[in-house]
Each structure stands twice: as structure tokens, then as C-alpha cells.
Amino acid sequence: GFQPFYPGPGLGGHCIPIDPFYLSWKAKEYDLNLSFVELAGEVNIYMPCFVVERLIDALNERGKTLKGSNILLLGIAYKKDVDDLRESPALKIWEILLKKGAKVFYHDPYIPKFPKTRKYKFEAESKPLNAEILEFVDAVIITTDHTNVDYELVKTFSKLIVDTRGVLPEGLNVVKA
């Protein structure tokens, strides 16, 4: 069979980000080295940093800095059309943005209020997705590609979009990450 691969801002969920590391650890008991599994894990762990670097570069090209910028995360669930935050790369992106001095907002139709998680305790509620919020923020990062989001609205009213899910074609206000 064919299994399509859709890269994104990192891995999330309750098992995929964790199970390969367990497999690699277990293989060492049998003198097996699964270095490719470990390397893939390192790449996936780094992806949220890569996304923020792409955002910083895109803002700089537009004469803005990340510090003091308003950023909207579009989707914070770990995958599309679910309300599950477990190990979501959007949360790591959020954390990095805050540490770098950005103000972070989010819109996720499946997560109206941010719940306390094991690691994150952001006090936030999902913003309505409309022209007002899109014109207010300096950039939008598409971190989860929910099917019920009006991406044409996002493209029309956003100054800058960092698309980590391949939802929009690259253009004047859209950069890929």
C-alpha cells in the first residue's frame, strides 16, 4: 500500500513522538543500533525551532522584529480535525515565541479554551477567525490544517503567513516552513 507523507511543524500525539525512542532504547538490549530512528527523532524535535526561524527571517525581510510582534497560531491540536493537544508542536512553537518576546494568540475551532497540560499553562482562549484579528496580527502560523478553516480569508487579510502544512501556495504573503 501507499502511505502519503505530509511534513509539518513537528510530531504530536500520544504515541508517535515517543514510541520510536522506546523502540530504539529497547533495541540496544539486543546490541542493535537504530541511529536512523534517533536521527529522525532529533529532526522532528527541532522542527518547532525551524518554524520560528522561518518566521523571524520573514518578519526581518518586512522590516519587523519578532520581539513585540503579535502572532496568531492557526490550529494548536497535534493533527487536523481533532481536539487533542498531546505533544502538539504548536505548543512548543508558542513557548519559543513567548520566550523571544512575541505576543501569541490562537484560533482552533476544536479547542475553545486552552486547558492546563502537563507542561504548558497558557491562559488563552481561541480567537474568532475574522478580518479584524488577521489584520491585527503581524503574522499567522498555520500549525494545524483543520478542514473547517477559511484559508481564503486568512490569505486575503493576513500580512504574513508561515505555512507549515502546505495549505496555501507560496506567494507575496505566504512562506513555507
Side-chain angles (χ1 to χ4, degrees):
F2 171 73
Q3 179 63 42
F5 174 66
Y6 303 107
L11 291 178
H14 57 90
C15 61
I16 299 296
I18 300 160
D19 290 356
F21 291 108
Y22 173 74
L23 175 65
S24 181
W25 172 77
K26 195 69 175 164
K28 286 181 173 95
E29 288 182 15
Y30 300 95
D31 294 324
L32 295 171
N33 184 353
L34 301 182
S35 58
F36 191 78
V37 170
E38 292 174 12
L39 177 60
E42 289 175 25
V43 168
N44 284 315
I45 287 169
Y46 177 72
M47 285 305 295
C49 297
F50 173 76
V51 170
V52 173
E53 286 173 9
R54 291 288 289 150
L55 172 64
I56 290 169
D57 290 346
L59 285 168
N60 285 342
E61 289 172 9
R62 289 156 178 81
K64 290 204 61 78
T65 62
L66 179 58
K67 186 174 185 175
S69 288
N70 294 307
I71 309 299
L72 177 70
L73 297 178
L74 190 49
I76 60 170
Y78 83 88
K79 72 177 183 176
K80 73 159 109 182
D81 302 335
V82 301
D83 65 353
D84 195 341
L85 286 171
R86 287 179 289 181
E87 305 301 323
S88 174
L91 305 184
K92 182 64 178 175
I93 292 169
W94 192 336
E95 177 184 50
I96 295 167
L97 292 171
L98 289 176
K99 284 181 179 176
K100 293 192 174 289
K103 184 153 185 183
V104 181
F105 306 92
Y106 83 92
H107 170 78
D108 193 308
Y110 295 93
I111 304 168
K113 183 176 169 130
F114 189 86
K116 288 183 182 176
T117 67
R118 182 172 36 95
K119 185 173 180 182
Y120 301 102
K121 294 169 180 52
F122 303 128
E123 292 289 329
E125 292 184 8
S126 179
K127 298 288 182 191
L129 190 61
N130 54 38
E132 183 180 18
I133 188 71
L134 294 169
E135 289 174 334
F136 170 74
V137 297
D138 298 295
V140 174
I141 304 175
I142 300 173
T143 46
T144 310
D145 54 339
H146 293 305
T147 55
N148 60 354
V149 169
D150 184 350
Y151 293 104
E152 199 55 44
L153 175 81
V154 174
K155 187 176 177 192
T156 300
F157 291 100
S158 299
K159 298 173 195 90
L160 172 63
I161 303 164
V162 177
D163 184 0
T164 73
R165 297 293 184 165
V167 177
L168 297 170
E170 200 155 10
L172 292 176
N173 67 335
V174 180
V175 297
K176 299 291 183 176

